[in-house]
Amino acid sequence: MAYKIELDREKLKKELTSLEYNVCLNHGTEAPFQNEFWDNKAEGIYTCKCCNTPLFSSDTKFDSGTGWPSYFKPINDEVIEEIEDASLGMVRVEVRCAACGSHLGHVFPDGPAPTHLRYCINSVSLNFEPK
């Protein structure tokens, strides 16, 4: 898919940590319970690490017990892209930033009401803008 924002991999390689680069551009995953936002309780907006597009609000964040920040919906449906992912021998739904294609995490159908979805997102793929 062509994205509105084309990422400069060489520039990002210099700006991001190796873990941030691996998660955002190589579809990696960070460790649970050892990441910046899994237990963040502050109010604000979570944005894409690579392009700063607003993605999730703290109003939709919940403690899923998984060790990754989890949200029951994005700010709006246009800010994320969902792609079927069968890379680990199971079918999951990958979540990417719709503006730049950066890998964010996965969405699962086991979240709370009202959506019953759990957007399980890597902290390193996000920035946080407090209210």
Side-chain angles (χ1 to χ4, degrees):
M1 172 177 180
Y3 295 101
K4 291 183 274 185
I5 299 169
E6 188 174 334
L7 297 179
D8 182 336
R9 287 181 167 264
E10 288 306 311
K11 181 180 176 202
L12 288 171
K13 199 166 211 166
K14 295 173 186 166
E15 294 176 354
L16 301 177
T17 68
S18 59
L19 179 60
E20 290 168 344
Y21 188 90
N22 185 49
V23 168
C24 296
L25 295 153
N26 295 328
H27 309 273
T29 301
E30 66 190 354
F33 301 105
Q34 299 172 30
N35 55 72
E36 185 175 6
F37 300 130
W38 76 272
D39 64 348
N40 184 26
K41 307 270 191 283
E43 292 183 23
I45 301 295
Y46 295 87
T47 65
C48 177
K49 175 70 74 176
C50 294
C51 73
N52 287 317
T53 296
L55 299 171
F56 298 96
S57 169
S58 61
D59 295 338
T60 65
K61 190 172 186 289
F62 67 98
D63 183 359
S64 64
T66 63
W68 289 282
S70 297
Y71 311 85
F72 60 81
K73 70 176 186 174
I75 285 181
N76 65 58
D77 292 336
E78 288 76 43
V79 300
I80 60 158
E81 175 184 30
E82 296 181 8
I83 299 168
E84 187 174 294
D85 173 9
S87 64
L88 295 178
M90 64 178 126
V91 177
R92 321 181 273 177
V93 178
E94 178 189 5
V95 178
R96 294 184 189 174
C97 173
C100 72
S102 176
H103 172 74
L104 303 171
H106 290 84
V107 61
F108 301 95
D110 59 2
T115 65
H116 302 286
L117 296 174
R118 173 175 52 96
Y119 289 86
C120 188
I121 306 299
N122 291 285
S123 286
V124 295
S125 68
L126 302 171
N127 291 315
F128 181 68
E129 297 177 9
K131 271 189 180 175

mmCIF file of all heavy atoms in Angstrom, residues 75-114:
data_model
loop_
_atom_site.group_PDB
_atom_site.id
_atom_site.type_symbol
_atom_site.label_atom_id
_atom_site.label_comp_id
_atom_site.label_asym_id
_atom_site.label_seq_id
_atom_site.Cartn_x
_atom_site.Cartn_y
_atom_site.Cartn_z
ATOM 1 N N ILE A 75 -8.345 6.466 17.791
ATOM 2 C CA ILE A 75 -8.992 7.785 17.774
ATOM 3 C C ILE A 75 -10.097 7.810 16.725
ATOM 4 O O ILE A 75 -11.178 8.320 16.965
ATOM 5 C CB ILE A 75 -7.952 8.900 17.559
ATOM 6 C CG1 ILE A 75 -7.176 9.094 18.865
ATOM 7 C CG2 ILE A 75 -8.592 10.190 17.093
ATOM 8 C CD1 ILE A 75 -6.127 10.163 18.835
ATOM 9 N N ASN A 76 -9.823 7.270 15.551
ATOM 10 C CA ASN A 76 -10.857 7.022 14.538
ATOM 11 C C ASN A 76 -10.346 5.914 13.625
ATOM 12 O O ASN A 76 -9.157 5.578 13.645
ATOM 13 C CB ASN A 76 -11.251 8.301 13.771
ATOM 14 C CG ASN A 76 -10.120 8.867 12.946
ATOM 15 O OD1 ASN A 76 -9.568 8.193 12.075
ATOM 16 N ND2 ASN A 76 -9.755 10.113 13.218
ATOM 17 N N ASP A 77 -11.238 5.339 12.845
ATOM 18 C CA ASP A 77 -10.881 4.178 12.025
ATOM 19 C C ASP A 77 -9.904 4.499 10.900
ATOM 20 O O ASP A 77 -9.264 3.603 10.368
ATOM 21 C CB ASP A 77 -12.140 3.546 11.430
ATOM 22 C CG ASP A 77 -13.012 2.899 12.496
ATOM 23 O OD1 ASP A 77 -12.481 2.542 13.566
ATOM 24 O OD2 ASP A 77 -14.217 2.748 12.253
ATOM 25 N N GLU A 78 -9.788 5.773 10.545
ATOM 26 C CA GLU A 78 -8.911 6.153 9.437
ATOM 27 C C GLU A 78 -7.437 6.195 9.821
ATOM 28 O O GLU A 78 -6.572 6.233 8.950
ATOM 29 C CB GLU A 78 -9.326 7.513 8.866
ATOM 30 C CG GLU A 78 -10.629 7.475 8.075
ATOM 31 C CD GLU A 78 -11.861 7.403 8.965
ATOM 32 O OE1 GLU A 78 -11.912 8.118 9.983
ATOM 33 O OE2 GLU A 78 -12.770 6.623 8.657
ATOM 34 N N VAL A 79 -7.096 6.210 11.108
ATOM 35 C CA VAL A 79 -5.694 6.371 11.519
ATOM 36 C C VAL A 79 -4.917 5.062 11.575
ATOM 37 O O VAL A 79 -3.699 5.067 11.696
ATOM 38 C CB VAL A 79 -5.561 7.123 12.871
ATOM 39 C CG1 VAL A 79 -6.158 8.511 12.768
ATOM 40 C CG2 VAL A 79 -6.151 6.330 14.015
ATOM 41 N N ILE A 80 -5.625 3.942 11.498
ATOM 42 C CA ILE A 80 -4.948 2.641 11.529
ATOM 43 C C ILE A 80 -5.310 1.813 10.308
ATOM 44 O O ILE A 80 -6.345 2.014 9.677
ATOM 45 C CB ILE A 80 -5.259 1.845 12.807
ATOM 46 C CG1 ILE A 80 -6.747 1.573 12.914
ATOM 47 C CG2 ILE A 80 -4.728 2.534 14.040
ATOM 48 C CD1 ILE A 80 -7.075 0.422 13.796
ATOM 49 N N GLU A 81 -4.435 0.890 10.013
ATOM 50 C CA GLU A 81 -4.647 -0.085 8.947
ATOM 51 C C GLU A 81 -4.557 -1.461 9.593
ATOM 52 O O GLU A 81 -3.678 -1.705 10.420
ATOM 53 C CB GLU A 81 -3.551 0.092 7.901
ATOM 54 C CG GLU A 81 -3.574 -0.918 6.795
ATOM 55 C CD GLU A 81 -2.407 -0.754 5.834
ATOM 56 O OE1 GLU A 81 -1.318 -0.294 6.244
ATOM 57 O OE2 GLU A 81 -2.583 -1.131 4.669
ATOM 58 N N GLU A 82 -5.481 -2.337 9.253
ATOM 59 C CA GLU A 82 -5.481 -3.697 9.781
ATOM 60 C C GLU A 82 -5.175 -4.674 8.654
ATOM 61 O O GLU A 82 -5.792 -4.607 7.592
ATOM 62 C CB GLU A 82 -6.820 -4.019 10.431
ATOM 63 C CG GLU A 82 -7.094 -3.149 11.648
ATOM 64 C CD GLU A 82 -8.413 -3.451 12.334
ATOM 65 O OE1 GLU A 82 -9.088 -4.449 11.964
ATOM 66 O OE2 GLU A 82 -8.778 -2.695 13.248
ATOM 67 N N ILE A 83 -4.204 -5.573 8.897
ATOM 68 C CA ILE A 83 -3.736 -6.501 7.873
ATOM 69 C C ILE A 83 -3.663 -7.901 8.470
ATOM 70 O O ILE A 83 -3.099 -8.088 9.557
ATOM 71 C CB ILE A 83 -2.335 -6.090 7.370
ATOM 72 C CG1 ILE A 83 -2.403 -4.697 6.756
ATOM 73 C CG2 ILE A 83 -1.785 -7.107 6.388
ATOM 74 C CD1 ILE A 83 -1.053 -4.091 6.485
ATOM 75 N N GLU A 84 -4.200 -8.889 7.764
ATOM 76 C CA GLU A 84 -4.100 -10.271 8.230
ATOM 77 C C GLU A 84 -2.639 -10.685 8.296
ATOM 78 O O GLU A 84 -1.867 -10.429 7.380
ATOM 79 C CB GLU A 84 -4.872 -11.207 7.298
ATOM 80 C CG GLU A 84 -4.935 -12.617 7.829
ATOM 81 C CD GLU A 84 -5.811 -13.526 6.987
ATOM 82 O OE1 GLU A 84 -7.034 -13.297 6.953
ATOM 83 O OE2 GLU A 84 -5.249 -14.445 6.364
ATOM 84 N N ASP A 85 -2.261 -11.325 9.408
ATOM 85 C CA ASP A 85 -0.874 -11.718 9.663
ATOM 86 C C ASP A 85 -0.849 -13.194 10.047
ATOM 87 O O ASP A 85 -1.380 -13.575 11.079
ATOM 88 C CB ASP A 85 -0.312 -10.848 10.805
ATOM 89 C CG ASP A 85 1.065 -11.262 11.286
ATOM 90 O OD1 ASP A 85 1.706 -12.121 10.649
ATOM 91 O OD2 ASP A 85 1.500 -10.731 12.317
ATOM 92 N N ALA A 86 -0.233 -14.019 9.207
ATOM 93 C CA ALA A 86 -0.112 -15.452 9.485
ATOM 94 C C ALA A 86 1.349 -15.838 9.698
ATOM 95 O O ALA A 86 1.747 -16.980 9.483
ATOM 96 C CB ALA A 86 -0.720 -16.260 8.347
ATOM 97 N N SER A 87 2.152 -14.890 10.171
ATOM 98 C CA SER A 87 3.600 -15.095 10.242
ATOM 99 C C SER A 87 4.065 -16.086 11.302
ATOM 100 O O SER A 87 5.137 -16.643 11.190
ATOM 101 C CB SER A 87 4.302 -13.753 10.466
ATOM 102 O OG SER A 87 3.937 -13.210 11.713
ATOM 103 N N LEU A 88 3.319 -16.313 12.341
ATOM 104 C CA LEU A 88 3.759 -17.212 13.415
ATOM 105 C C LEU A 88 2.974 -18.521 13.447
ATOM 106 O O LEU A 88 2.846 -19.156 14.488
ATOM 107 C CB LEU A 88 3.649 -16.505 14.771
ATOM 108 C CG LEU A 88 4.572 -15.299 14.968
ATOM 109 C CD1 LEU A 88 4.337 -14.665 16.329
ATOM 110 C CD2 LEU A 88 6.031 -15.698 14.823
ATOM 111 N N GLY A 89 2.445 -18.925 12.310
ATOM 112 C CA GLY A 89 1.692 -20.170 12.256
ATOM 113 C C GLY A 89 0.280 -20.035 12.804
ATOM 114 O O GLY A 89 -0.403 -21.034 13.015
ATOM 115 N N MET A 90 -0.159 -18.823 13.043
ATOM 116 C CA MET A 90 -1.530 -18.554 13.471
ATOM 117 C C MET A 90 -1.990 -17.300 12.746
ATOM 118 O O MET A 90 -1.175 -16.519 12.268
ATOM 119 C CB MET A 90 -1.607 -18.344 14.983
ATOM 120 C CG MET A 90 -0.851 -17.122 15.478
ATOM 121 S SD MET A 90 -1.015 -16.901 17.232
ATOM 122 C CE MET A 90 0.703 -16.830 17.685
ATOM 123 N N VAL A 91 -3.283 -17.111 12.645
ATOM 124 C CA VAL A 91 -3.804 -15.934 11.972
ATOM 125 C C VAL A 91 -4.135 -14.879 13.021
ATOM 126 O O VAL A 91 -4.863 -15.149 13.978
ATOM 127 C CB VAL A 91 -5.047 -16.269 11.128
ATOM 128 C CG1 VAL A 91 -5.623 -15.011 10.492
ATOM 129 C CG2 VAL A 91 -4.691 -17.293 10.053
ATOM 130 N N ARG A 92 -3.522 -13.704 12.842
ATOM 131 C CA ARG A 92 -3.804 -12.562 13.708
ATOM 132 C C ARG A 92 -4.044 -11.362 12.798
ATOM 133 O O ARG A 92 -3.868 -11.463 11.593
ATOM 134 C CB ARG A 92 -2.644 -12.226 14.634
ATOM 135 C CG ARG A 92 -1.896 -13.349 15.209
ATOM 136 C CD ARG A 92 -0.784 -12.897 16.117
ATOM 137 N NE ARG A 92 0.440 -12.654 15.353
ATOM 138 C CZ ARG A 92 1.558 -12.187 15.877
ATOM 139 N NH1 ARG A 92 1.620 -11.883 17.143
ATOM 140 N NH2 ARG A 92 2.622 -12.011 15.137
ATOM 141 N N VAL A 93 -4.400 -10.242 13.403
ATOM 142 C CA VAL A 93 -4.600 -9.025 12.636
ATOM 143 C C VAL A 93 -3.572 -7.994 13.095
ATOM 144 O O VAL A 93 -3.594 -7.552 14.243
ATOM 145 C CB VAL A 93 -6.038 -8.481 12.789
ATOM 146 C CG1 VAL A 93 -6.200 -7.177 12.014
ATOM 147 C CG2 VAL A 93 -7.050 -9.520 12.316
ATOM 148 N N GLU A 94 -2.652 -7.669 12.182
ATOM 149 C CA GLU A 94 -1.633 -6.667 12.458
ATOM 150 C C GLU A 94 -2.252 -5.278 12.376
ATOM 151 O O GLU A 94 -3.132 -5.022 11.550
ATOM 152 C CB GLU A 94 -0.499 -6.786 11.434
ATOM 153 C CG GLU A 94 0.587 -5.749 11.620
ATOM 154 C CD GLU A 94 1.607 -5.709 10.511
ATOM 155 O OE1 GLU A 94 1.460 -6.436 9.504
ATOM 156 O OE2 GLU A 94 2.567 -4.925 10.646
ATOM 157 N N VAL A 95 -1.753 -4.363 13.223
ATOM 158 C CA VAL A 95 -2.187 -2.973 13.205
ATOM 159 C C VAL A 95 -0.998 -2.116 12.791
ATOM 160 O O VAL A 95 0.088 -2.233 13.363
ATOM 161 C CB VAL A 95 -2.697 -2.531 14.603
ATOM 162 C CG1 VAL A 95 -3.107 -1.066 14.590
ATOM 163 C CG2 VAL A 95 -3.851 -3.406 15.061
ATOM 164 N N ARG A 96 -1.211 -1.269 11.775
ATOM 165 C CA ARG A 96 -0.189 -0.334 11.311
ATOM 166 C C ARG A 96 -0.748 1.077 11.321
ATOM 167 O O ARG A 96 -1.959 1.278 11.233
ATOM 168 C CB ARG A 96 0.240 -0.651 9.875
ATOM 169 C CG ARG A 96 0.952 -1.954 9.707
ATOM 170 C CD ARG A 96 1.416 -2.126 8.285
ATOM 171 N NE ARG A 96 1.920 -3.478 8.057
ATOM 172 C CZ ARG A 96 2.272 -3.922 6.868
ATOM 173 N NH1 ARG A 96 2.199 -3.132 5.806
ATOM 174 N NH2 ARG A 96 2.720 -5.158 6.731
ATOM 175 N N CYS A 97 0.136 2.047 11.383
ATOM 176 C CA CYS A 97 -0.251 3.438 11.212
ATOM 177 C C CYS A 97 -0.689 3.607 9.761
ATOM 178 O O CYS A 97 0.064 3.267 8.838
ATOM 179 C CB CYS A 97 0.925 4.360 11.533
ATOM 180 S SG CYS A 97 0.612 6.094 11.162
ATOM 181 N N ALA A 98 -1.891 4.127 9.535
ATOM 182 C CA ALA A 98 -2.393 4.288 8.176
ATOM 183 C C ALA A 98 -1.667 5.398 7.422
ATOM 184 O O ALA A 98 -1.655 5.402 6.193
ATOM 185 C CB ALA A 98 -3.892 4.568 8.195
ATOM 186 N N ALA A 99 -1.037 6.320 8.138
ATOM 187 C CA ALA A 99 -0.346 7.429 7.479
ATOM 188 C C ALA A 99 1.017 7.021 6.928
ATOM 189 O O ALA A 99 1.407 7.443 5.842
ATOM 190 C CB ALA A 99 -0.188 8.604 8.427
ATOM 191 N N CYS A 100 1.762 6.179 7.697
ATOM 192 C CA CYS A 100 3.134 5.864 7.277
ATOM 193 C C CYS A 100 3.441 4.373 7.180
ATOM 194 O O CYS A 100 4.500 3.992 6.693
ATOM 195 C CB CYS A 100 4.139 6.536 8.215
ATOM 196 S SG CYS A 100 4.240 5.789 9.861
ATOM 197 N N GLY A 101 2.556 3.508 7.659
ATOM 198 C CA GLY A 101 2.769 2.069 7.581
ATOM 199 C C GLY A 101 3.597 1.467 8.698
ATOM 200 O O GLY A 101 3.890 0.277 8.686
ATOM 201 N N SER A 102 3.956 2.268 9.696
ATOM 202 C CA SER A 102 4.735 1.757 10.826
ATOM 203 C C SER A 102 3.940 0.675 11.568
ATOM 204 O O SER A 102 2.748 0.831 11.828
ATOM 205 C CB SER A 102 5.067 2.909 11.775
ATOM 206 O OG SER A 102 5.730 2.422 12.924
ATOM 207 N N HIS A 103 4.623 -0.414 11.903
ATOM 208 C CA HIS A 103 3.994 -1.498 12.665
ATOM 209 C C HIS A 103 3.732 -1.024 14.092
ATOM 210 O O HIS A 103 4.618 -0.464 14.748
ATOM 211 C CB HIS A 103 4.923 -2.717 12.690
ATOM 212 C CG HIS A 103 4.465 -3.812 13.591
ATOM 213 N ND1 HIS A 103 3.412 -4.636 13.264
ATOM 214 C CD2 HIS A 103 4.917 -4.215 14.803
ATOM 215 C CE1 HIS A 103 3.231 -5.502 14.261
ATOM 216 N NE2 HIS A 103 4.138 -5.269 15.196
ATOM 217 N N LEU A 104 2.511 -1.256 14.567
ATOM 218 C CA LEU A 104 2.131 -0.857 15.922
ATOM 219 C C LEU A 104 1.945 -2.056 16.846
ATOM 220 O O LEU A 104 2.356 -2.030 17.995
ATOM 221 C CB LEU A 104 0.827 -0.047 15.884
ATOM 222 C CG LEU A 104 0.849 1.210 15.009
ATOM 223 C CD1 LEU A 104 -0.554 1.792 14.879
ATOM 224 C CD2 LEU A 104 1.817 2.236 15.570
ATOM 225 N N GLY A 105 1.312 -3.098 16.358
ATOM 226 C CA GLY A 105 1.008 -4.266 17.180
ATOM 227 C C GLY A 105 -0.049 -5.108 16.497
ATOM 228 O O GLY A 105 -0.059 -5.235 15.270
ATOM 229 N N HIS A 106 -0.990 -5.638 17.301
ATOM 230 C CA HIS A 106 -2.061 -6.481 16.775
ATOM 231 C C HIS A 106 -3.370 -6.146 17.483
ATOM 232 O O HIS A 106 -3.365 -5.597 18.584
ATOM 233 C CB HIS A 106 -1.722 -7.959 16.971
ATOM 234 C CG HIS A 106 -0.603 -8.418 16.104
ATOM 235 N ND1 HIS A 106 0.729 -8.247 16.463
ATOM 236 C CD2 HIS A 106 -0.588 -8.999 14.876
ATOM 237 C CE1 HIS A 106 1.498 -8.722 15.495
ATOM 238 N NE2 HIS A 106 0.730 -9.185 14.531
ATOM 239 N N VAL A 107 -4.478 -6.513 16.858
ATOM 240 C CA VAL A 107 -5.792 -6.340 17.471
ATOM 241 C C VAL A 107 -6.427 -7.717 17.637
ATOM 242 O O VAL A 107 -6.304 -8.582 16.771
ATOM 243 C CB VAL A 107 -6.695 -5.384 16.638
ATOM 244 C CG1 VAL A 107 -6.962 -5.906 15.246
ATOM 245 C CG2 VAL A 107 -7.999 -5.100 17.377
ATOM 246 N N PHE A 108 -7.064 -7.903 18.801
ATOM 247 C CA PHE A 108 -7.678 -9.180 19.150
ATOM 248 C C PHE A 108 -9.133 -8.955 19.565
ATOM 249 O O PHE A 108 -9.474 -7.901 20.111
ATOM 250 C CB PHE A 108 -6.908 -9.836 20.312
ATOM 251 C CG PHE A 108 -5.461 -10.077 19.997
ATOM 252 C CD1 PHE A 108 -4.489 -9.157 20.370
ATOM 253 C CD2 PHE A 108 -5.065 -11.213 19.308
ATOM 254 C CE1 PHE A 108 -3.141 -9.368 20.073
ATOM 255 C CE2 PHE A 108 -3.720 -11.436 19.012
ATOM 256 C CZ PHE A 108 -2.767 -10.513 19.398
ATOM 257 N N PRO A 109 -9.994 -9.962 19.378
ATOM 258 C CA PRO A 109 -11.420 -9.812 19.702
ATOM 259 C C PRO A 109 -11.755 -10.161 21.156
ATOM 260 O O PRO A 109 -12.789 -10.768 21.431
ATOM 261 C CB PRO A 109 -12.086 -10.784 18.727
ATOM 262 C CG PRO A 109 -11.089 -11.896 18.597
ATOM 263 C CD PRO A 109 -9.733 -11.219 18.650
ATOM 264 N N ASP A 110 -10.900 -9.780 22.105
ATOM 265 C CA ASP A 110 -11.140 -10.140 23.508
ATOM 266 C C ASP A 110 -11.061 -8.923 24.435
ATOM 267 O O ASP A 110 -10.700 -9.051 25.601
ATOM 268 C CB ASP A 110 -10.154 -11.211 23.957
ATOM 269 C CG ASP A 110 -8.690 -10.779 23.842
ATOM 270 O OD1 ASP A 110 -8.422 -9.622 23.445
ATOM 271 O OD2 ASP A 110 -7.816 -11.604 24.154
ATOM 272 N N GLY A 111 -11.418 -7.761 23.931
ATOM 273 C CA GLY A 111 -11.368 -6.544 24.729
ATOM 274 C C GLY A 111 -12.687 -6.243 25.421
ATOM 275 O O GLY A 111 -13.662 -6.990 25.286
ATOM 276 N N PRO A 112 -12.737 -5.139 26.134
ATOM 277 C CA PRO A 112 -13.940 -4.760 26.870
ATOM 278 C C PRO A 112 -14.989 -4.095 25.969
ATOM 279 O O PRO A 112 -14.707 -3.710 24.827
ATOM 280 C CB PRO A 112 -13.405 -3.762 27.893
ATOM 281 C CG PRO A 112 -12.268 -3.097 27.181
ATOM 282 C CD PRO A 112 -11.630 -4.199 26.365
ATOM 283 N N ALA A 113 -16.181 -3.937 26.509
ATOM 284 C CA ALA A 113 -17.228 -3.168 25.830
ATOM 285 C C ALA A 113 -16.745 -1.723 25.737
ATOM 286 O O ALA A 113 -15.934 -1.293 26.558
ATOM 287 C CB ALA A 113 -18.529 -3.263 26.616
ATOM 288 N N PRO A 114 -17.130 -0.959 24.806
ATOM 289 C CA PRO A 114 -18.207 -1.246 23.855
ATOM 290 C C PRO A 114 -17.758 -1.971 22.589
ATOM 291 O O PRO A 114 -18.586 -2.509 21.866
ATOM 292 C CB PRO A 114 -18.733 0.140 23.500
ATOM 293 C CG PRO A 114 -17.527 1.018 23.579
ATOM 294 C CD PRO A 114 -16.695 0.448 24.713
#
